[in-house]
Amino acid sequence: MSMNELIKSNIDKIKKQIKEAEKNAGRKEGSVKLLAVSKFHPVEAVYDAINAGQFDFGENRVQEAFSKFPEIFQKFPNVNLHIIGQLQTNKVKKAVEIATMIESVDRLELVKEIEKQCAKIGKNIEILLEFHTGEESKSGYKTSESLEETLEFIAQGNAPHVIPKGFMTMAPFTEDTELIRKSFSLMREIAERMQEKFKNFNLSELSMGMTHDFEIAIQEGSTEVRVGTAIFGQRT
Ligand SMILES: *Cc1c(COP(=O)(O)O)cnc(C)c1O
């Protein structure tokens, strides 16, 4: 199989698994979006995925995203890029230039900088707030109070270019599926609580699930799974 065919067959397979997981969880077909995580893979691999009908991509590092995606956008303006990795304040300017969504917002300072850079170029950007639910991952808000503080800041009208859409989390890297499940269900509970408090926002997006745990995430209410390895192969 050529790389092109392999990536297409991987995407078809995952889409089928997503559909199956939706059905098993009693969820509506098409309620879970696939984000293809192309980090560490060359631009050619992204084109292969696009050829297979995949238009939503995730990248961890702004620098790498910037070296790949501008040329892709030229050819395919309907491609969406989400930034999913820890974001340093000094990378925000470039991030908001190329991303339609930043999923890894983990502090109020970042929201302030995103607002500042978006205001400069007159662009609105969607964000997810990343919450820390698993022992192994270090990133994300650690308390629901700190989440609330950020949402309150936006709700007060301090960041009109920043559109909160929901939450993102990473489960611990373990074989223990119950631990993984707990991590996702905690995220969902906190998301529901925040939606109750901030009724003027639509916080319905839950970005949860990767190659090894996306089926559990879908059972626990994920609306977007971020899949890299199962599409593009091992990262080197
Ligand atoms: C790398 C990465 C993924 C994809 O991981 P796979 O296990 O390769 O599917 C998803 N989310 C985040 C935040 C990542 O850094």
Side-chain angles (χ1 to χ4, degrees):
M1 230 192 269
S2 71
M3 203 56 194
N4 191 6
E5 288 166 334
L6 182 62
I7 288 175
K8 177 167 180 7
S9 120
N10 287 344
I11 288 174
D12 290 346
K13 189 169 148 204
I14 289 159
K15 283 191 171 159
K16 222 189 225 165
Q17 289 170 330
I18 290 173
K19 209 187 233 181
E20 199 60 27
E22 286 170 338
K23 204 164 106 193
N24 291 339
R27 299 186 49 195
K28 217 171 88 194
E29 191 180 317
S31 53
V32 181
K33 182 163 98 176
L34 172 62
L35 191 77
V37 178
S38 48
K39 66 180 180 202
F40 297 145
H41 293 284
V43 73
E44 291 73 25
V46 177
Y47 285 125
D48 289 343
I50 292 170
N51 277 328
Q54 178 65 32
F55 290 94
D56 298 303
F57 294 89
E59 285 279 342
N60 258 49
R61 294 180 307 179
V62 176
Q63 206 102 325
E64 181 182 348
F66 221 82
S67 75
K68 281 149 68 172
F69 277 81
E71 87 165 61
I72 295 168
F73 294 142
Q74 293 242 312
K75 298 193 181 105
F76 299 96
N78 52 341
V79 161
N80 290 308
L81 176 66
H82 292 194
I83 296 294
I84 61 172
Q86 248 191 345
L87 185 54
Q88 290 169 273
T89 310
N90 63 4
K91 301 276 165 57
V92 168
K93 183 175 186 288
K94 286 201 151 182
V96 302
E97 261 181 63
I98 52 171
T100 50
M101 181 183 264
I102 297 174
E103 300 197 6
S104 40
V105 172
D106 61 358
R107 58 197 189 275
L108 178 57
E109 285 313 308
L110 202 51
V111 169
K112 292 180 181 171
E113 184 64 19
I114 292 170
E115 170 59 29
K116 184 175 145 192
Q117 298 301 338
C118 279
K120 274 193 203 163
I121 59 172
K123 175 180 177 173
N124 288 351
I125 197 156
E126 299 182 335
I127 63 159
L128 301 181
L129 301 180
E130 181 178 358
F131 193 71
H132 180 264
T133 61
E135 293 312 309
E136 260 110 320
S137 116
K138 284 154 276 146
S139 49
Y141 285 92
K142 303 291 190 298
T143 65
S144 56
E145 288 77 18
S146 55
L147 270 186
E148 257 184 80
E149 184 195 18
T150 292
L151 286 169
E152 189 57 37
F153 178 83
I154 303 169
Q156 296 293 332
N158 296 306
H161 297 84
V162 177
I163 322 292
K165 300 293 283 182
F167 302 90
M168 186 266 258
T169 200
M170 270 205 266
F173 196 69
T174 169
E175 298 289 307
D176 184 342
T177 55
E178 280 320 299
L179 217 56
I180 293 170
R181 187 179 300 283
K182 263 192 199 151
S183 159
F184 293 144
S185 67
L186 172 64
M187 182 74 267
R188 193 192 57 227
E189 280 166 30
I190 288 171
E192 283 167 0
R193 239 191 288 148
M194 291 299 141
Q195 182 66 86
E196 272 300 301
K197 287 199 184 205
F198 296 93
K199 293 204 166 66
N200 290 337
F201 293 145
N202 178 358
L203 302 173
S204 58
E205 297 297 329
L206 275 182
S207 174
M208 324 192 285
M210 306 170 30
T211 291
H212 294 290
D213 55 19
F214 72 87
E215 279 148 320
I216 304 171
I218 291 171
Q219 289 169 358
E220 297 303 324
S222 170
T223 64
E224 182 196 279
V225 294
R226 310 177 307 270
V227 178
T229 309
I231 294 175
F232 298 109
Q234 291 291 340
R235 292 178 285 271
T236 45

